[in-house]
Amino acid sequence: MVLTSIPDGLKPHDDPNNPFVLFETLPRTMPETLPDLIERINSSNPNQKISCVIVDLSCGWVFDIVEMMGVEPVIFTPASIATFSMVLHIPKLVEQGDLDTNGSLKKVDLISLSDDIPAWRKDELPWSFSKDLNTQKILFEISKSCKSANTTKLVLCNSCYELEPAACDSRPNFLPIGPLNLCAKSCSGNFQPEDASCIRWLDVKPDGSVIYVSFGSLAVICQQQLDELALGLELSGRAFLWVVRRDLANGSRVVFPDGLLERVSKFGKIVEWAPQNNVLSHPAVGCFLSHCGWNSTLEGVSKGIPYLCWPYFTDQTHNESYICDKWEIGLRINCDENGLRLRDEIKKKIDMLFCNDKVKKNAFKLKEMCAESISEGGSSYKNMGTFIDYLWNCGK
């Protein structure tokens, strides 16, 4: 495999740390640079020309580019199939008057696609998390642009049929081939250096005793909320492994409550980044306090780990609904009237989860289900074979 890059179109005044600015710049640069890249690759390998391009769901405008070059486009969705299915319903929802042209709910309180798929409330729509109306508009327009999935022959999904049967059945071209983290010996969704010492730290902890806390690579919380989380973990008295990025405190340097690091030194470990897939595979981990990003959700589900849910943005609140309401493998950590998750609520939910045998049993069942899906004869195993056959035919 060879990695290559193309210009991102960022200007000097653009914030490179803003993940959404690329949604505005890439559509300006890729129509010129992508065809040139494909032509150069084809010229250097005349017997192995590109016949298929896998496109992220947020870059549906790439379809027009590759189709003009005689290349078959295939969509890959890193989000849940349910979220993608809802996004594809946007034109119909706007036509019905359920959504206005800015993506706000109008005549209904909920968007429901099926009795077997958790519904979306107003504040759970993937584009509605931001208070910045321009960001909301950008995300809603990106969501509407995913209509190209209606014409592509295949939509590859990082999920398995058993996790989302109703969502999988909602479109004939959905092809779940995951959980992909189970298909690789090692995988990471981030390029940050991992602190391997946390595995050695886990090695001496009793099975199922450790709370693993991570909010992924993008989520941030205010300093007051960080203090409440730190003190809640301390109050629990349970061993915890906490991933604290340098920018976790709303992009600022993290400051812990006075004396906390000394007080928790015997049972807590804090790192800047962890090898998450390996951590979740470790028998010492008994709980995942997570932002509920879909990758993290699948990594925990496929390892049989119960959840404490702390969603941040986009699709994460709906993933929380899957975890707590549909699959029943986790608990919500609720906010107070000011939007803060307080230390007593955090401790309460930690205690409740570690005593909940039903959640643990459900989590183990999902682990077995995911393992079967990628095993020979399983649903995702067969679907991957379908995709390989499709690639073979594209190249003819």
Side-chain angles (χ1 to χ4, degrees):
M1 181 176 69
V2 177
L3 296 177
T4 188
S5 63
I6 59 176
D8 55 24
L10 289 175
K11 297 178 180 178
H13 62 273
D14 290 326
D15 179 7
N17 296 316
N18 180 352
F20 305 113
V21 71
L22 290 176
F23 292 136
E24 292 184 297
T25 61
L26 285 177
R28 295 197 296 263
T29 59
M30 286 190 73
E32 296 180 1
T33 54
L34 183 58
D36 179 64
L37 174 63
I38 293 175
E39 288 175 357
R40 283 190 284 114
I41 293 173
N42 287 346
S43 298
S44 63
N45 298 280
N47 296 321
Q48 294 182 332
K49 292 185 177 181
I50 292 176
S51 59
C52 177
V53 171
I54 300 175
V55 182
D56 185 276
L57 67 90
S58 62
C59 301
W61 41 268
V62 172
F63 269 53
D64 293 336
I65 301 173
V66 299
E67 284 180 329
M68 286 190 298
M69 303 186 71
V71 176
E72 190 73 30
V74 169
I75 279 185
F76 172 75
T77 169
S80 72
I81 301 175
T83 295
F84 192 36
S85 184
M86 189 275 288
V87 165
L88 294 180
H89 273 77
I90 288 176
K92 182 178 180 181
L93 293 168
V94 173
E95 181 183 341
Q96 294 174 173
D98 296 334
L99 287 176
D100 64 23
T101 54
N102 293 317
S104 298
L105 286 178
K106 291 174 64 180
K107 299 188 300 183
V108 295
D109 297 323
L110 296 169
I111 292 178
S112 178
L113 302 184
S114 163
D115 291 340
D116 293 323
I117 300 175
W120 287 261
R121 297 192 302 268
K122 179 179 181 179
D123 58 347
E124 294 175 341
L125 299 173
W127 53 84
S128 64
F129 72 91
S130 176
K131 296 180 181 179
D132 178 59
L133 295 180
N134 186 53
T135 300
Q136 281 191 29
K137 182 178 179 182
I138 291 171
L139 290 176
F140 184 58
E141 290 301 318
I142 291 168
S143 298
K144 287 198 297 184
S145 71
C146 294
K147 59 186 179 183
S148 53
N150 293 318
T151 58
T152 185
K153 293 183 178 66
L154 292 180
V155 177
L156 302 180
C157 310
N158 186 14
S159 187
C160 65
Y161 183 86
E162 291 77 9
L163 286 177
E164 306 182 79
C168 291
D169 290 338
S170 65
R171 298 265 172 166
N173 59 350
F174 284 165
L175 198 69
I177 57 173
L180 293 176
N181 61 290
L182 290 179
C183 302
K185 293 182 179 180
S186 63
C187 64
S188 177
N190 198 280
F191 293 114
Q192 296 192 48
E194 298 172 341
D195 189 338
S197 68
C198 56
I199 301 299
R200 296 190 294 274
W201 183 83
L202 288 170
D203 285 341
V204 298
K205 298 291 182 290
D207 288 358
S209 65
V210 176
I211 308 163
Y212 174 57
V213 186
S214 177
F215 294 101
S217 57
L218 292 177
V220 294
I221 56 179
C222 68
Q223 183 62 52
Q224 184 180 1
Q225 182 61 90
L226 190 144
D227 291 345
E228 290 295 326
L229 173 55
L231 295 170
L233 291 172
E234 180 186 10
L235 276 175
S236 77
R238 297 181 183 273
F240 67 85
L241 172 61
W242 184 10
V243 176
V244 180
R245 304 187 326 267
R246 295 182 182 182
D247 61 345
L248 182 61
N250 271 352
S252 301
R253 185 177 66 87
V254 170
V255 178
F256 294 102
D258 287 345
L260 177 110
L261 296 180
E262 291 77 13
R263 295 195 302 271
V264 303
S265 60
K266 292 184 179 180
F267 61 92
K269 183 173 180 61
I270 298 173
V271 297
E272 286 194 21
W273 199 252
Q276 181 162 290
N277 213 35
N278 292 336
V279 167
L280 293 172
S281 300
H282 201 288
V285 175
C287 161
F288 187 6
L289 197 164
S290 171
H291 65 306
C292 303
W294 188 245
N295 280 337
S296 290
T297 297
L298 287 183
E299 287 173 358
V301 166
S302 62
K303 305 300 182 184
I305 306 296
Y307 276 81
L308 288 171
C309 297
W310 189 312
Y312 174 58
F313 69 173
T314 57
D315 61 334
Q316 294 165 9
T317 306
H318 191 260
N319 298 341
E320 176 189 54
S321 296
Y322 258 131
I323 290 168
C324 298
D325 305 328
K326 184 64 179 175
W327 301 330
E328 297 184 62
I329 61 168
L331 302 175
R332 291 177 172 86
I333 301 179
N334 296 317
C335 298
D336 71 354
E337 63 275 8
N338 297 314
L340 287 174
R341 292 173 172 90
L342 301 180
R343 65 194 76 172
D344 291 333
E345 165 70 4
I346 295 168
K347 177 187 183 300
K348 172 186 172 183
K349 291 301 171 64
I350 290 173
D351 291 342
M352 288 175 62
L353 189 72
F354 273 89
C355 295
N356 194 321
D357 289 335
K358 179 182 178 181
V359 163
K360 294 176 185 178
K361 290 178 181 177
N362 289 342
F364 182 75
K365 288 179 182 177
L366 285 190
K367 174 185 177 180
E368 291 186 317
M369 187 184 298
C370 290
E372 290 176 4
S373 74
I374 67 158
S375 300
E376 186 171 356
S379 59
S380 291
Y381 183 94
K382 291 178 180 177
N383 287 340
M384 181 61 78
T386 298
F387 177 51
I388 292 171
D389 290 341
Y390 177 79
L391 288 178
W392 178 257
N393 291 324
C394 283
K396 291 183 178 179

